[in-house]
Amino acid sequence: KIKQLLETIMATFCAGTTRLRAPLRGARHARRTSVVSRSGSSYGTCFRLMTWGESHGRSVGVVIDGVPPRLPVDEEQIQYELDRRRPGQNRLTTPRKESDTCEVLSGVSLDGLALGTPIAVMVRNKDQRSGDYKEMSVAYRPSHADATYDAKYGVRAVAGGGRSSARETIGRVAAGAIAKTLLKEVAGTEIVAWVSSVKDVNVPEGAVDHDKVTVDEIEESMVRCPHEETSEKMVKAIDDIKRQRDSCGGTVTCVVRNCPWGLGSPVFDKLEAELAKAMMSLPATKGFEIGSGFASTLMAGSEHNDEFMTVDDDIEGSKRIRTKTNRSGGIQGGISNGENIVLRIAFKPTSTIAIKQNTVTREGEEVETVFKGRHDPCVVPRAVPMVDSMVAIVLADQLLLNHAQCKVLPQEGPLLHRPDHQMMPRH
């Protein structure tokens, strides 16, 4: 009977059933086993967020839970990050005009400190043109989420793509602004990301100094590429593809400086695994690399290994362990080692293009059509703040998890009674 119960539970998980009754007959107390079906709109364990809203709904937003109390929450900083992501920034982005003005609805005191309760942030949609999506209610856009959403749910938000739209990332960017503040306050951590390629235009190897490049330098470029010569070529490549009513993709490089030691856990919760999931959850992503990435397959172990050394720390007389090279990308054994974390994320060309394409209708009829709507000819420049925000969210969650597991007991010496765990704090 136990085996039968386990088989029933496993079958229920696979089938996606939300509730079942335990089949053990004659049991003194009948029990119900609940299977919670997650809809994929939440992320995190300690620093946890849930985004909500559709592209052409009334609003979009996020609820962030687990923010440490007393952390400064600056609405202007949240708005700054949202402005980096918003549409209509220049001729290379979608012409949709949205101010993306944020409203912090809860969880923050009048003097701008986190209360330790859920923080809700909302952005109202104002420039919807749902009429542009008439064709999409009948036929499926190639390489978009229309067909899979229909097959899975039997219903979908046609206008703007609903939850599959990059407009969903507003919530992530708002949460990322708070996560960046936490990382900066606790460890002095900095996260910078930039466009390293568009189509076949690449930043030359070593042209961007990972230790010195700044957000201001990145933001000076229309395509968020801090290498001026390459930036100009990228702009031309996007202009050319836009004139052809087509689209193109590219890559974003992200570097984390001053990342704390010890983030991540062995086996299933390795830090690079969490980062990979977060990056691949972003719209239009198709590839992920960390450190040497796929290039490591061409190296011998003697070439790839990062040898250890000691260097003088800021504290007089102390030493710090470092690596001579950083092919590991700042993570070894799934745990951060204090070196720069270096990621590269590949983004595909925008799916919706103004070129006639073959597709099928919901009834299975083969048709030829041109899909309307306002879309970026290249998503990569606006993906930069999405990438650095999701990296910050992952690291903030891992930082709190690390404190929860590893900072309660001392690493050395006897376990001592700590009265601060039992006494009310003094004011």
Side-chain angles (χ1 to χ4, degrees), residues 4-5 31 68 119 124 138-139 188 191 220 293 310 364 380 411:
Q4 181 185 359
L5 173 60
R31 294 183 178 181
I119 297 174
R124 300 180 190 274
V138 179
I191 303 172
E220 287 177 1
T310 58
V380 186
Q411 289 188 338

Side-chain angles (χ1 to χ4, degrees), residues 2 5 30 45 74 83 94 119-120 126 130 132 151 189 202 242 245 257 261 305 401 403 415:
I2 292 175
L5 173 60
T45 302
D74 187 349
D83 288 343
T94 169
I119 297 174
K126 297 180 178 179
S130 299
D132 289 350
T189 303
N202 295 273
K242 183 180 178 181
R245 300 188 299 172
R257 300 191 287 242
W261 277 72
N305 286 348
L401 281 167
H403 274 258
L415 302 183

Side-chain angles (χ1 to χ4, degrees), residues 205-227:
E205 188 72 26
V208 176
D209 190 330
H210 290 187
D211 291 316
K212 296 181 180 179
V213 64
T214 66
V215 174
D216 289 340
E217 292 172 344
I218 294 165
E219 291 299 311
E220 287 177 1
S221 165
M222 189 184 298
V223 288
R224 293 197 168 94
C225 173
H227 188 255

Side-chain angles (χ1 to χ4, degrees), residues 37 95 119 138 150 159 164 236:
S37 177
I119 297 174
V138 179
D150 241 1
S164 66
K236 184 179 183 304

Side-chain angles (χ1 to χ4, degrees), residues 274-286:
E274 292 297 314
L275 287 167
K277 176 181 179 179
M279 295 303 101
M280 297 304 291
S281 75
L282 289 168
T285 50
K286 284 297 177 185

Side-chain angles (χ1 to χ4, degrees), residues 12-245:
T12 304
F13 268 111
C14 295
T17 306
T18 57
R19 186 173 291 274
L20 60 95
R21 184 182 296 275
L24 293 179
R25 299 185 179 182
R28 179 175 296 180
H29 301 289
R31 294 183 178 181
R32 284 183 177 272
T33 303
S34 294
V35 180
V36 179
S37 177
R38 295 180 60 182
S39 63
S41 292
S42 60
Y43 178 82
T45 302
C46 291
F47 188 96
R48 187 166 182 79
L49 62 136
M50 174 178 282
T51 67
W52 52 268
E54 288 78 40
S55 175
H56 283 228
R58 293 184 178 181
S59 58
V60 292
V62 65
V63 176
I64 312 136
D65 203 3
V67 177
R70 302 182 304 282
L71 179 75
V73 178
D74 187 349
E75 194 165 328
E76 290 185 1
Q77 183 62 30
I78 297 174
Q79 190 60 58
Y80 168 77
E81 297 291 348
L82 289 174
D83 288 343
R84 295 174 64 215
R85 194 222 70 90
R86 70 176 176 82
Q89 296 178 31
N90 53 57
R91 71 176 188 270
L92 302 181
T93 65
T94 169
R96 179 172 176 170
K97 296 295 183 183
E98 295 279 2
S99 63
D100 284 355
T101 303
C102 69
E103 302 174 43
V104 178
L105 305 179
S106 66
V108 180
S109 69
L110 295 177
D111 52 351
L113 297 178
L115 296 172
T117 54
I119 297 174
V121 182
M122 179 177 70
V123 170
R124 300 180 190 274
N125 295 325
K126 297 180 178 179
D127 188 24
Q128 305 100 315
R129 294 184 188 173
S130 299
D132 289 350
Y133 295 85
K134 183 179 179 181
E135 293 89 352
M136 299 172 201
S137 65
V138 179
Y140 298 131
R141 290 171 291 178
S143 289
H144 216 287
D146 303 340
T148 50
Y149 270 46
D150 241 1
K152 182 176 178 67
Y153 301 110
V155 64
R156 61 189 169 95
V158 174
R163 294 290 288 165
S164 66
S165 167
R167 192 146 184 80
E168 175 272 331
T169 62
I170 282 176
R172 308 191 200 203
V173 172
I178 298 173
K180 289 175 186 177
T181 300
L182 174 61
L183 294 164
K184 187 74 172 178
E185 291 284 333
V186 172
T189 303
E190 297 177 305
I191 303 172
V192 290
W194 64 91
V195 176
S196 46
S197 77
V198 166
K199 208 165 179 272
D200 56 352
V201 180
N202 295 273
V203 174
E205 188 72 26
V208 176
D209 190 330
H210 290 187
D211 291 316
K212 296 181 180 179
V213 64
T214 66
V215 174
D216 289 340
E217 292 172 344
I218 294 165
E219 291 299 311
E220 287 177 1
S221 165
M222 189 184 298
V223 288
R224 293 197 168 94
C225 173
H227 188 255
E228 186 175 357
E229 182 181 347
T230 307
S231 174
E232 293 173 357
K233 294 178 181 178
M234 290 177 176
V235 171
K236 184 179 183 304
I238 298 175
D239 277 335
D240 289 345
I241 206 76
K242 183 180 178 181
R243 278 192 292 269
Q244 300 169 36
R245 300 188 299 172

